[in-house]
Amino acid sequence: MTVAEAVAGRRAIRAYLDKPVDPAVLRRVIAAAQMAPSGYNFQPWEGVVLTGEPLRELSRRMIAAAPQEPAEYQLVPRGLPQLYKDRRDSITGPRMDAAGIARDDEAGRARLQARNFAFFGAPAALLCFVPRVMGPPQWSDVGMWLQTIMLLLHGDGLGSCPQESLYVHGRLIKQFVGVSDETHLFFCGMAIGHPDPQAPLNLYPRTRAPIDEVVRFLGA
Ligand SMILES: Cc1cc2nc3c(=O)[nH]c(=O)nc-3n(C[C@H](O)[C@H](O)[C@H](O)COP(=O)(O)O)c2cc1C
């Protein structure tokens, strides 16, 4: 698999086979992802990997809990411009269709969203934390780390889904895995496992803005 094929082929996987992930592969992938770049080489990412009973127990606790107040962070910007709403809707619509949920079925949408708390049935998950002292530039570093992990997982035939939506249980997650709420933010989870190749949720078309909408080329 070339790098270009890995970038094109990775997608968010929301249905998994009932098959464990080799812990040695997880360790190797995450070790390799340490080569992700970061400003000043801060490497401001921190993670906890869960499998087996701890993963199931965290899932149960999140499903049973109410969303935390105040929120861990502002997930969606206030006053989101229409452009971004359109980009969001261009992918959530086909996803709802693939899940067999009518686009105006709000309860169905909420049920689909709630599957995040069960990690979409994945046998492994990565929970990602950022030291509170870090700011927006370092959050971008963390994103590079997460993408590096996802590409490497894809290269190993594994699927993943990054999961910001777990932020509603950030404090619960930190307490569960022994990370200090005082010093760290919970950023994002990541479901990891063997993709179900038949599941429509893993197969719907994904949209992206055309390059000329996002980048201008100046000069020769
Ligand atoms: C940081 C981050 C957080 C995300 N959080 C969620 C999430 O909570 N639940 C979910 O189903 N997808 C989540 N996604 C996946 C996006 O919806 C997905 O990447 C986007 O729709 C593009 O689709 P693709 O990754 O399949 O190409 C997240 C993606 C990123 C990069």
Side-chain angles (χ1 to χ4, degrees):
M1 188 187 294
T2 64
V3 175
E5 285 166 347
V7 170
R10 181 223 55 86
R11 59 177 298 152
I13 296 299
R14 298 185 180 85
Y16 293 87
L17 299 178
D18 184 15
K19 181 178 169 187
V21 174
D22 181 350
V25 172
L26 286 179
R27 180 166 273 277
R28 172 169 51 73
V29 160
I30 294 169
Q34 273 304 99
M35 293 313 288
S38 57
Y40 294 99
N41 198 31
F42 283 160
Q43 304 158 67
W45 44 77
E46 293 182 31
V48 174
V49 176
L50 292 185
T51 55
E53 186 47 31
L55 180 65
R56 286 188 288 275
E57 178 59 20
L58 175 62
S59 210
R60 282 193 285 272
R61 291 192 194 186
M62 289 195 292
I63 290 165
Q68 75 181 47
E69 286 285 349
E72 189 76 359
Y73 55 86
Q74 176 83 33
L75 178 55
V76 177
R78 289 191 188 90
L80 189 68
Q82 190 59 41
L83 166 73
Y84 301 105
K85 290 182 183 165
D86 291 344
R87 289 184 185 168
R88 177 197 60 200
D89 296 348
S90 75
I91 203 157
T92 51
R95 189 185 311 156
M96 300 273 290
D97 298 345
I101 299 166
R103 293 191 183 193
D104 60 354
D105 177 356
E106 288 304 323
R109 185 186 290 265
R111 276 197 305 278
L112 183 58
Q113 180 68 5
R115 277 153 72 174
N116 274 286
F117 304 132
F119 298 96
F120 300 106
L126 169 68
L127 304 166
C128 169
F129 306 90
V130 191
R132 286 192 189 271
V133 70
M134 298 297 175
Q138 290 79 40
W139 282 54
S140 87
D141 297 335
V142 176
M144 293 189 206
W145 179 64
L146 293 171
Q147 168 72 333
T148 304
I149 291 174
M150 291 191 287
L151 291 176
L152 290 167
L153 289 169
H154 182 62
D156 263 276
L158 290 168
S160 62
C161 183
Q163 298 183 283
E164 279 166 343
S165 52
L166 304 188
Y167 88 122
V168 295
H169 298 306
R171 277 199 293 280
L172 181 160
I173 290 170
K174 281 181 271 189
Q175 197 180 31
F176 186 78
V177 299
V179 168
S180 162
D181 180 50
E182 203 178 319
T183 56
H184 286 71
L185 267 170
F186 170 75
F187 171 41
C188 167
M190 184 190 292
I192 299 172
H194 297 271
D196 179 343
Q198 314 288 338
L201 260 179
N202 293 340
L203 297 172
Y204 64 84
R206 297 165 299 145
T207 56
R208 291 296 194 270
I211 181 174
D212 294 325
E213 194 175 306
V214 294
V215 173
R216 291 183 301 131
F217 293 84
L218 304 179

